[in-house]
Amino acid sequence: METWSLVSICVLLGLTVRWGVSLNSYSGAGKPPMFGDYEAQRHWQEVTYNLPVQEWYVNTTDNDLNYWGLDYPPLTAYHSLLCAHVGKLINPEWVELHKSRGHESLAHKLFMRATVLVADLLIYIPAVVLYCFYLTDGSSRKKVCNLLCFLLYPGLILIDYGHFQYNGVSLGLALWGVLALGLGWDVLGSLAFSLALNYKQMELYHALPFFCYLLGKSVKLGLGRGLFLLVRVAVTVLVTFALCWLPFLSDPSQALQVVRRIFPVARGLFEDKVANTWCSLNILIKIRSILSTDSQLYLSLASTLLAVLPSSIRLLTKPTFWQFKLALVNSSLAFFLFSYQVHEKSILLASLPVCLLLNDLPLMAIWFLQASTFSMLPLFLKDGLLVPYVVTSLAFVFLSTYLLSALEHSSEDELRLGGYHRLLFCLPRLDLACIVRWKFYISMVVMVGLSITTVALVPPPRLPDLFPVLVSIFAFLHFLGTLIYFNIVQFSGPPSRKSQKKSN
């Protein structure tokens, strides 16, 4: 009884932090003509409510795709339609065709934030609670600490409640998929992940680990049971996709138009200062000037596949739940660092699987999660989220480091640094655990310093993007190092302690 009381407190605290961010500011407030992501979400409700399904993704006089046209898969559109029906009951002006553009009011702001909160309560938070209690080891107190740290991850809170997104829905559905696979419910896991992929196309970051895990498990089960599992999973995925896309399947051109909208190849390799390989490399080599759009696309595709291949092959040959979690991290990081047209907030797709490892590798997980939040600093400043960024970041780092005893549990064995010694066999044996701790301290100091500098100083006129570039490069170095680290961990032996309650 005491444990579930603590769980309730953790959930309430997580909800309070989320709602506190939402009451301060939001993306695009009072900034015509586009008004930011707040208006994008409201406009999608307007479009889905007033127009027939066949016009949702098509440019018409009533649906100007240049003004926040729908560019997510059908499940997002259905969610917008559901929210629009509720909003219409409260105030019809919120979704009135054309006339509602740029609508801003306190009542509507509360309504929009409430829709995010309800989605979290129904999808994301229950999955987090169940994962922490059924698929992590340790005492009840340790599980509660993991739960609190998981729910207080600042990146997701600031993006969903400040920048205004519904990432908690797609990430929550993916987490339900992870939870189901961890409990051995492979068909239900396939269903949940298919829904996540039909909600946001960026869930492709997690697709290869799901595919390799299920295929590897089917091969391991043998021709009879394995083939039966594979057929059931395939049928589940096909039926789920068919139902989600049903309104568009009658006309192939409509389906192709939806695909074109959700995969905007014409936008180029990158737009903003994202902490990935191409933005960082572009400082030295002007890739977009040297290579054609097609060449950039092929280069990005080849680099992504090469980066994700070792982890995927490892999972395919050793389909355990521990390997699956590591592959989720490595796949999502590889996609973020090397894939095409990456947005700053896409780092959340790597942050979710890292959150799954808070119990196993607390120091490395906390370090990465804070770096991922820091990498979105220019986005937060643009949306007036400086105070929420500072408060949530400090709370997360201090609470998670203390509650998970991250610095105390940072020996070479606990950090799983044995693989590095094998790689550095020709060098004198170093105290890698001490080096990692010092790098952690230095990294935190530099993040604080760059945050203060970005806010307090004006960049030189010749280098107006100096501070966003420094932030993205510093974060990129963290992400590249994390990708190397987790690949080495994945190719090391299994955990020395029983780190998974359920392993296959």
Side-chain angles (χ1 to χ4, degrees):
M1 197 68 183
E2 181 183 348
T3 299
W4 288 108
S5 298
L6 290 173
V7 170
S8 302
I9 293 171
C10 290
V11 172
L12 286 173
L13 183 57
L15 293 175
T16 302
V17 173
R18 283 163 162 76
W19 194 252
V21 170
S22 74
L23 293 177
N24 290 321
S25 57
Y26 55 86
S27 172
K31 297 176 183 177
M34 297 297 282
F35 297 99
D37 283 318
Y38 173 86
E39 169 65 7
Q41 299 292 340
R42 190 216 57 78
H43 180 63
W44 292 350
Q45 294 176 21
E46 171 197 343
V47 167
T48 53
Y49 185 85
N50 291 286
L51 302 181
V53 176
Q54 291 73 21
E55 294 184 19
W56 287 356
Y57 294 89
V58 180
N59 196 59
T60 66
T61 53
D62 288 327
N63 185 24
D64 180 8
L65 294 182
N66 291 320
Y67 184 81
W68 297 121
L70 264 168
D71 55 4
Y72 284 131
L75 208 55
T76 291
Y78 304 148
H79 181 205
S80 296
L81 178 60
L82 177 63
C83 293
H85 277 283
V86 178
K88 175 78 171 181
L89 293 174
I90 301 172
N91 188 341
E93 293 181 0
W94 293 349
V95 291
E96 190 173 358
L97 190 62
H98 300 311
K99 293 182 180 179
S100 59
R101 281 195 179 185
H103 178 91
E104 292 180 351
S105 66
L106 177 60
H108 187 254
K109 178 183 174 183
L110 292 173
F111 165 73
M112 295 289 275
R113 288 306 184 250
T115 62
V116 182
L117 196 65
V118 169
D120 273 359
L121 279 170
L122 293 177
I123 299 174
Y124 181 74
I125 291 176
V128 174
V129 172
L130 292 175
Y131 173 82
C132 290
F133 273 83
Y134 285 97
L135 292 178
T136 59
D137 279 342
S139 64
S140 297
R141 179 189 176 279
K142 188 177 181 182
K143 292 178 179 181
V144 169
C145 291
N146 272 283
L147 171 63
L148 181 60
C149 297
F150 205 134
L151 291 177
L152 290 182
Y153 166 55
L156 182 60
I157 295 172
L158 293 169
I159 288 294
D160 272 18
Y161 290 83
H163 192 68
F164 203 88
Q165 298 283 317
Y166 290 99
N167 292 288
V169 177
S170 58
L171 294 176
L173 289 170
L175 184 53
W176 277 107
V178 171
L179 181 66
L181 294 191
L183 295 172
W185 303 337
D186 299 320
V187 174
L188 288 176
S190 304
L191 170 65
F193 183 68
S194 296
L195 291 174
L197 199 52
N198 277 285
Y199 191 88
K200 285 199 174 181
Q201 65 272 31
M202 288 87 74
E203 279 299 328
L204 283 169
Y205 285 31
H206 301 144
L208 267 176
F210 272 86
F211 174 78
C212 292
Y213 176 78
L214 290 168
L215 180 59
K217 183 175 180 179
S218 299
V219 171
K220 190 175 180 181
L221 288 174
L223 187 59
R225 292 172 57 202
L227 182 60
F228 182 57
L229 171 62
L230 205 57
V231 169
R232 285 190 300 151
V233 167
V235 170
T236 301
V237 172
L238 290 173
V239 170
T240 305
F241 269 79
L243 290 174
C244 289
W245 286 71
L246 191 59
F248 309 97
L249 296 180
S250 58
D251 184 354
S253 63
Q254 287 185 4
L256 286 174
Q257 173 62 13
V258 178
V259 172
R260 281 192 290 267
R261 288 296 302 166
I262 64 180
F263 294 108
V265 176
R267 290 186 185 176
L269 189 59
F270 59 88
E271 289 183 72
D272 297 322
K273 304 296 186 294
V274 184
N276 71 348
T277 302
W278 309 123
C279 289
S280 301
L281 190 60
N282 195 66
I283 298 170
L284 302 175
I285 305 171
K286 302 303 178 183
I287 304 171
R288 291 191 294 187
S289 302
I290 298 172
L291 300 177
S292 65
T293 301
D294 288 344
S295 298
Q296 293 172 29
L297 181 61
Y298 297 142
L299 174 64
S300 172
L301 178 63
S303 302
T304 305
L305 289 176
L306 285 173
V308 79
L309 196 59
S311 175
S312 299
I313 293 175
R314 177 71 169 178
L315 177 60
L316 197 60
T317 56
K318 292 185 177 296
T320 65
F321 192 61
W322 169 249
Q323 289 285 332
F324 173 58
K325 292 197 297 183
L326 292 171
L328 284 171
V329 176
N330 291 326
S331 174
S332 51
L333 268 175
F335 271 84
F336 180 84
L337 289 173
F338 298 103
S339 64
Y340 196 85
Q341 191 54 228
V342 174
H343 193 279
E344 299 103 308
K345 66 177 180 290
S346 298
I347 196 60
L348 297 178
L349 291 148
S351 300
L352 175 73
V354 172
C355 284
L356 302 179
L357 297 169
L358 277 166
N359 187 59
D360 304 290
L361 299 162
L363 181 62
M364 305 306 290
I366 293 165
W367 191 356
F368 173 84
L369 292 172
Q370 184 51 43
S372 70
T373 304
F374 170 76
S375 72
M376 296 182 281
L377 175 61
L379 192 63
F380 299 145
L381 294 180
K382 187 167 64 176
D383 293 329
L385 295 170
L386 174 62
V387 174
Y389 162 74
V390 172
V391 172
T392 55
S393 295
L394 290 176
F396 174 76
V397 169
F398 285 111
L399 274 175
S400 56
T401 305
Y402 169 73
L403 292 175
L404 301 179
S405 304
L407 293 170
E408 287 78 11
H409 296 293
S410 58
S411 65
E412 286 193 8
D413 182 54
E414 289 168 318
L415 292 174
R416 302 191 56 73
L417 297 173
Y420 282 89
H421 282 301
R422 289 190 287 273
L423 289 174
L424 304 173
F425 64 93
C426 57
L427 298 176
R429 189 173 180 87
L430 303 171
D431 187 352
L432 295 180
C434 181
I435 294 173
V436 167
R437 286 193 295 272
W438 273 106
K439 286 175 69 176
F440 172 77
Y441 294 136
I442 294 170
S443 171
M444 292 296 146
V445 171
V446 173
M447 285 186 213
V448 171
L450 272 176
S451 298
I452 294 172
T453 302
T454 303
V455 174
L457 298 183
V458 178
R462 292 198 306 171
L463 298 171
D465 295 325
L466 175 62
F467 298 134
V469 167
L470 290 176
V471 168
S472 67
I473 291 175
F474 190 67
F476 162 71
L477 295 174
H478 283 76
F479 301 155
L480 184 61
T482 304
L483 178 63
I484 295 170
Y485 168 77
F486 278 110
N487 268 281
I488 291 175
V489 171
Q490 190 175 353
F491 277 86
S492 303
S496 55
R497 56 191 171 82
K498 190 178 180 182
S499 64
Q500 294 303 326
K501 207 173 182 183
K502 301 284 184 183
S503 62
N504 297 329

